[in-house]
Amino acid sequence: MWGVFQLSVITVIMKTLLLLCSWVILCNALPFEQRGFWDFSMDDGLTMMKDEANEDGSGLPVSPSGVVPTVFSAAIPPFDLCPFGCQCHLRVVQCSDLGLTSVPKNIPKDTTLLDLQNNKILEIKKDDFKGLTSLYALVLVNNKISKINEKAFEPLQKLQKLYISKNSLEEIPKSLPKSLVELRIHENKIKKIPKDVFNGLKNMNCIEMGGNPLENGGIEAEAFNGLKLNYLRISEAKLSGIPKGLPSSLNELHLDHNKIQAIEMGDLSQYSNLYRLGLGYNNIRVVENGSLASLPTLRELHLDNNKLSKIPPGLPDMKFLQVVYLHSNNITQIGVNDFCPVGFGVKRAYYNGISLFNNPVPYWEVQPATFRCVTDRLAIQFGNYRK
């Protein structure tokens, strides 16, 4: 019993001594002093981090073992790399839908794509794109731009794509970058294409300028001189005829939703490279015999929603024609040789689409041989004509 009592007393004494030592240590401890910005961020179990320069003079904190922690291996990025409110990633700066009234400042100099669409920008000033020599694509769609300084695009030495549709421009911007490949400027207020506006743009191959109040008289002679376009669209304008002097290199020409009344001899004589021609939604009543003969490589012909009363002449001689849109016209009769040539082996490519619906033609009277050069009967679309 006496031994057990002695053991209990010794245990109590030792616990009291331990508590007393802990209290003394805490009383003598110095308060925490923050010496560096990163002191609160360390959670690796180190009790102290000195904010002094290491041996190589880098100025980075080191652990007691002399190893620089991983958290200090990356420098803090500067705060002016991206304009306020924008998103920047991999040389792409996106500033769309922000209500901007002007081009933001401090755009990174290495930006390759700048997206400023869906804002309220009123004007493009001289130095708005200063230093952006690497810019590849500029998107200004759906703003309120009515004025562009003549020298605004001079710094853009590598610009290839300029999208400036849905604005209030009354003229095509001057001094476009020589490197430009694609220009989309539809739905503005452009009434005129002067003869020197595209001067020197040897790389341009696509222009989309529909939705402008452009008339035939507004296209000056030689306006497209020097251009080697593949694609041109002037739809939803006020054209009364097929414009003259368009680039002979064209592969696609779209003139739909205009007021064109006829296709006359010579209208298409210089476009021997066309493989798609869009003339839908016009007032075309006549296609003169021989007017399509200068299109030897044509593959698609869109003449829907016009006022044709018969199948355009010359279709059987077009060896590569595969798609013909003739729906929503006034066609009342279809002859057996209106689409296919006489004899075999003449046509190089058979039709895979002929639309004739919404015409007052009695389709039950059309002879089956009329479509002898069609790939499949499902490629012919008649439907019922209804007033």
Side-chain angles (χ1 to χ4, degrees):
M1 290 291 293
W2 175 251
V4 174
F5 176 76
Q6 287 181 324
L7 182 61
S8 301
V9 172
I10 293 172
T11 302
V12 171
I13 293 171
M14 291 182 66
K15 289 182 177 180
T16 303
L17 289 173
L18 287 172
L19 290 172
L20 180 62
C21 290
S22 300
W23 180 80
V24 171
I25 291 172
L26 290 172
C27 289
N28 293 328
L30 295 176
F32 172 76
E33 180 180 356
Q34 184 182 1
R35 297 172 177 267
F37 178 79
W38 294 102
D39 286 357
F40 287 123
S41 67
M42 302 308 297
D43 59 354
D44 57 357
L46 298 176
T47 57
M48 291 292 292
M49 293 293 291
K50 294 185 178 181
D51 193 20
E52 299 177 357
N54 56 15
E55 294 180 359
D56 62 0
S58 64
L60 295 175
V62 295
S63 67
S65 62
V67 179
V68 179
T70 305
V71 70
F72 298 109
S73 61
I76 303 173
F79 293 100
D80 60 348
L81 279 182
C82 194
F84 179 77
C86 302
Q87 298 182 19
C88 303
H89 182 64
L90 297 178
R91 298 184 179 180
V92 174
V93 178
Q94 185 177 6
C95 304
S96 60
D97 302 279
L98 295 178
L100 300 174
T101 56
S102 62
V103 176
K105 306 297 182 183
N106 302 322
I107 299 172
K109 302 303 181 184
D110 62 347
T111 301
T112 56
L113 190 155
L114 177 57
D115 182 6
L116 293 167
Q117 64 181 317
N118 302 326
N119 281 292
K120 300 177 181 179
I121 299 173
L122 301 172
E123 179 183 356
I124 302 299
K125 300 177 182 178
K126 178 182 176 181
D127 296 327
D128 279 348
F129 307 121
K130 185 177 180 180
L132 302 182
T133 56
S134 299
L135 198 64
Y136 170 83
L138 175 59
V139 184
L140 294 165
V141 176
N142 197 24
N143 276 276
K144 298 182 179 180
I145 300 170
S146 60
K147 183 179 179 181
I148 297 178
N149 187 279
E150 292 186 10
K151 297 184 178 181
F153 296 131
E154 283 188 357
L156 310 181
Q157 303 171 5
K158 297 182 180 179
L159 190 70
Q160 294 193 24
K161 297 180 182 294
L162 176 58
Y163 300 159
I164 197 167
S165 306
K166 296 185 178 181
N167 278 281
S168 300
L169 293 173
E170 295 184 359
E171 60 181 12
I172 297 173
K174 298 178 180 178
S175 302
L176 292 170
K178 304 301 181 185
S179 57
L180 203 62
V181 173
E182 183 177 347
L183 173 64
R184 296 186 179 271
I185 195 169
H186 57 280
E187 294 188 44
N188 277 275
K189 300 179 180 180
I190 298 171
K191 296 181 180 181
K192 183 179 180 180
I193 306 179
K195 64 179 181 180
D196 57 348
V197 71
F198 298 127
N199 187 33
L201 301 179
K202 298 180 180 179
N203 298 316
M204 184 89 78
N205 65 26
C206 174
I207 296 180
E208 161 65 86
M209 56 186 312
N212 285 286
L214 186 64
E215 300 180 0
N216 287 75
I219 304 176
E220 293 189 1
E222 304 178 354
F224 293 92
N225 269 17
L227 292 183
K228 296 182 179 180
L229 296 181
N230 293 324
Y231 179 99
L232 175 62
R233 186 183 185 95
I234 312 179
S235 61
E236 300 178 73
K238 296 182 179 181
L239 300 177
S240 57
I242 296 176
K244 308 292 184 182
L246 302 180
S248 59
S249 57
L250 283 173
N251 297 134
E252 293 192 40
L253 176 59
H254 299 271
L255 301 171
D256 49 287
H257 290 86
N258 275 285
K259 300 178 180 180
I260 300 173
Q261 299 182 15
I263 302 177
E264 301 175 348
M265 287 292 296
D267 280 349
L268 302 169
S269 59
Q270 67 184 77
Y271 311 121
S272 58
N273 296 315
L274 276 184
Y275 63 75
R276 183 175 291 118
L277 176 60
L279 290 166
Y281 291 91
N282 276 280
N283 297 323
I284 300 175
R285 297 176 181 273
V286 177
V287 177
E288 288 191 8
N289 192 13
S291 60
L292 301 177
S294 57
L295 307 176
T297 60
L298 195 68
R299 288 169 171 77
E300 287 190 26
L301 177 59
H302 297 246
L303 284 168
D304 56 286
N305 291 277
N306 277 283
K307 298 181 179 180
L308 295 172
S309 58
K310 62 179 181 180
I311 305 297
L315 298 186
D317 300 324
M318 308 183 76
K319 298 179 180 180
F320 295 97
L321 189 60
Q322 294 176 284
V323 176
V324 183
Y325 287 179
L326 292 168
H327 55 271
S328 300
N329 276 279
N330 296 322
I331 299 172
T332 58
Q333 186 177 2
I334 300 176
V336 70
N337 294 320
D338 279 348
F339 290 99
C340 301
V342 177
F344 295 96
V346 178
K347 191 167 177 58
R348 300 290 183 85
Y350 277 22
Y351 292 102
N352 54 40
I354 297 178
S355 66
L356 289 161
F357 62 89
N358 200 26
N359 277 287
V361 56
Y363 60 90
W364 55 88
E365 295 182 1
V366 179
Q367 299 184 31
T370 302
F371 304 110
R372 57 188 178 274
C373 57
V374 179
T375 55
D376 187 270
R377 62 184 181 87
L378 296 177
I380 308 166
Q381 300 177 18
F382 265 116
N384 294 323
Y385 174 77
R386 294 180 180 178
K387 277 285 188 181

